[in-house]
């Protein structure tokens, strides 16, 4: 049984990134609280206890975070109310006495980013700066782990990415970075870390790597923007969501994700994982 008032809180542990951070901390013997929406989904990890809160529920967040010093904040699922949820969470965290927030943002976050969801991240970053709470921002490129989700219903990749490139990054590397930052006694306070894979890849190159991984041919079929909206109409998704999906590709076309940085090797002391390594690890994990 651990103390109810652990100083470190981790959100998103029912998901992929937060789950890796929580299990990594647990393996290091670092007690922490898991702030989750549904306790039934929380991972069973040594040295953790559960607190329940949705980001948009200020009272629940205050209760969940009372006594916490540092919070790892995974960005919420994409919804029209996402920035409001983030603002509510940050304000309630500060009210609860939280001193430090490590926030998972997106590469090139800006009010004018082509990728529409990156604008949410900019707004959240701005709120962290405005509130004045000590923070570290992890600006992640597209997750390499996410590239299999690029495949459409026919098993190919379609989108208006042209010949643009992205430096896709492993969630395992982001989790290592997060753990290094959360356990660093403030060395990264005030820093924005720009987190990328080791190489920039075109969509054709990503398709080729996925082909090798899956043992079948995956093609990249470039679309115009109009074609991209038309081919996604079958999902019946709202416009804000389709805008997000399509602008993932137009951001690549615009070159906004095509920079390799050295923050991962500098912080964790090894090269960033390649897309091939990420896919191979998926295989070995079953
Ligand atoms: N860089 C990229 O390529 C990329 C791609 C996709 C997503 N993202 C962003 O990166 C985040 C982490 O990625 P992931 O793969 O770990 O996503 P994931 O597996 O979907 O996990 C998201 C986690 O956030 C929690 N969450 C979502 N909305 C919340 C809210 N309003 N209040 C409290 N908790 C909430 C979820 O809880 P529940 O289990 O209760 O839903 C889950 O634990 C995503 O949430 C998304 O914002 C980035």
């Amino acid at each position: 049984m651990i103390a109810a008032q652990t100083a470190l809180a981790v959100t998103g542990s029912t998901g992929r990134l937060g789950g890796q951070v929580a299990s990594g901390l647990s393996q290091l013997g670092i007690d922490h609280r898991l702030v989750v929406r549904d306790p039934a989904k929380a991972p069973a990890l040594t040295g953790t206890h559960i607190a329940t809160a949705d980001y948009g529920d200020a009272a629940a967040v205050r209760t969940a975070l009372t006594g916490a010093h540092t919070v790892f904040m995974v960005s919420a699922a994409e919804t029209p109310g996402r920035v409001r949820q983030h603002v509510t969470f940050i304000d309630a965290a500060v009210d609860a006495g939280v001193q430090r927030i490590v926030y998972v943002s997106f590469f090139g976050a800006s009010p004018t980013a082509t990728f529409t969801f990156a604008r949410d991240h900019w707004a959240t970053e701005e709120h962290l700066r405005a509130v004045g709470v000590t923070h570290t921002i992890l600006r992640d490129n597209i997750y390499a782990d996410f590239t299999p989700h690029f495949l459409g219903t026919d098993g190919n990749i379609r989108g208006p990415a042209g010949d643009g490139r992205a430096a896709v990054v492993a969630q395992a590397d982001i989790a290592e970075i997060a753990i290094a930052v959360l356990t660093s006694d403030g060395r990264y306070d005030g820093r924005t870390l720009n987190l990328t894979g080791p190489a920039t890849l075109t969509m054709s190159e990503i398709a080729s790597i996925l082909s090798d991984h899956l043992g079948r041919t995956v093609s990249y079929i470039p679309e115009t923007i109009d074609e991209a909206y038309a081919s996604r109409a079958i999902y019946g998704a709202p416009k804000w969501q389709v805008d997000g999906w399509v602008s993932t590709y137009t951001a690549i076309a615009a070159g906004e994700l095509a920079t390799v940085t050295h923050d991962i090797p500098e912080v964790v002391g090894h090269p960033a994982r390649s897309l091939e390594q990420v896919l191979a690890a998926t295989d070995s994990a079953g």
Side-chain angles (χ1 to χ4, degrees), residues 209-221:
I209 293 166
L210 286 170
S211 299
D212 290 345
H213 172 65
L214 296 171
R216 65 169 178 79
T217 301
V218 174
S219 300
Y220 166 53
I221 301 156

Side-chain angles (χ1 to χ4, degrees), residues 12-18 37 41 53-55 74-78 82 85 106 140-143 146 171:
S13 63
T14 57
R16 289 165 292 244
L17 177 59
R37 293 199 280 196
K41 287 171 62 183
D54 185 288
Y55 290 167
V74 170
S75 48
E78 292 86 357
R82 188 189 200 195
Q85 290 176 355
F106 192 80
D140 306 352
N141 207 293
I142 293 172
Y143 294 137
F146 192 73
Q171 283 190 316

Side-chain angles (χ1 to χ4, degrees), residues 93-262:
V94 171
D95 284 351
V98 166
Q99 302 289 306
R100 194 162 155 246
I101 296 178
V102 178
Y103 174 66
V104 178
S105 182
F106 192 80
F107 197 78
S110 142
T112 56
T114 300
F115 179 41
T116 53
F117 295 149
R119 302 173 196 168
D120 292 353
H121 288 292
W122 170 259
T124 306
E125 291 185 8
E126 281 288 273
H127 193 67
L128 285 168
R129 291 185 273 269
V131 166
V133 64
T134 298
H135 58 270
T136 303
I137 291 168
L138 311 183
R139 285 189 176 175
D140 306 352
N141 207 293
I142 293 172
Y143 294 137
D145 316 65
F146 192 73
T147 54
H149 298 288
F150 285 152
L151 303 181
T153 49
D154 68 350
N156 293 313
I157 303 176
R158 284 185 169 72
D163 295 326
R165 292 175 171 273
V168 298
V169 65
Q171 283 190 316
D173 284 332
I174 305 299
E176 276 189 49
I177 290 278
I179 291 167
V181 170
L182 291 167
T183 57
S184 71
D185 287 333
R187 191 185 326 159
Y188 301 99
D189 287 355
R191 293 268 309 270
T192 295
L193 300 177
N194 298 298
L195 303 172
T196 75
T200 63
L201 301 171
T202 63
M203 292 310 270
S204 295
E205 289 166 347
I206 290 172
S208 166
I209 293 166
L210 286 170
S211 299
D212 290 345
H213 172 65
L214 296 171
R216 65 169 178 79
T217 301
V218 174
S219 300
Y220 166 53
I221 301 156
E223 291 179 316
T224 64
I225 293 175
D226 286 345
E227 286 168 348
Y229 277 90
S231 66
R232 285 151 181 80
I234 52 164
Y235 299 109
K239 182 176 182 307
W240 64 265
Q241 193 163 33
V242 184
D243 288 344
W245 293 344
V246 172
S247 64
T248 310
Y249 294 86
T250 51
I252 293 171
E256 293 174 19
L257 298 169
T259 305
V260 170
T261 69
H262 300 287

